[in-house]
Amino acid sequence: PAAVDYQAEDAFISQGVVESNHTGFSGTGFVNYDNVSGSFVEWTVPASTAGPASLALRYANGTTLNRPMDMTVNGMAVSAAHPFNPTGAWSSWAMATLTVPLTAGPNRIRATATTANGGPNVDKITVS
Ligand code: GCU
């Protein structure tokens, strides 16, 4: 199937804010996670059939430390403490990819910060 972008600024945000003060984002901005464990962004992604899909999460991490996040789909763990390593600058964006099991209908894809540093800045996910 075709790749579809889902912007972070259009998703459900818990403990984070939409910002646009670093260049290179797509859409109208990105999500700056609060610097707390448990902050998350949750996208609702429709699928016509059940099965594995490729998910790419576009992020920037201008610090020198990994900003891991738990990746879940419909409440089920897909990748615990998935690494989001430094990208060199807040304006340098990278892709993290993983395979996610989708069900037919709406899917809740959530990225939750696991450390007190919060998540990286998140631009969007691309599902294909
Ligand atoms: C800086 C940066 C933000 C980033 C934040 C963080 O304030 O400008 O975009 O989200 O650091 O550490 O999370």
Side-chain angles (χ1 to χ4, degrees), residues 19 21-22 30 32-33 35 63 67 90 117 119 121:
E19 291 181 339
N21 59 327
H22 301 295
F30 54 84
N32 169 356
Y33 281 64
N35 298 119
T63 76
R67 294 254 177 126
W90 292 111
N117 290 327
N121 288 349

Side-chain angles (χ1 to χ4, degrees), residues 36-49:
V36 294
S37 180
S39 46
F40 70 84
V41 173
E42 184 177 281
W43 293 264
T44 301
V45 172
S48 51
T49 58

Side-chain angles (χ1 to χ4, degrees), residues 66-73 76-84 98-99 110-115:
N66 179 24
R67 294 254 177 126
M69 296 196 289
D70 284 339
M71 303 297 299
T72 65
V73 176
M76 293 187 321
V78 172
S79 182
H82 194 84
F84 293 89
L98 58 164
T99 301
R110 185 182 292 202
T112 305
T114 66
T115 77

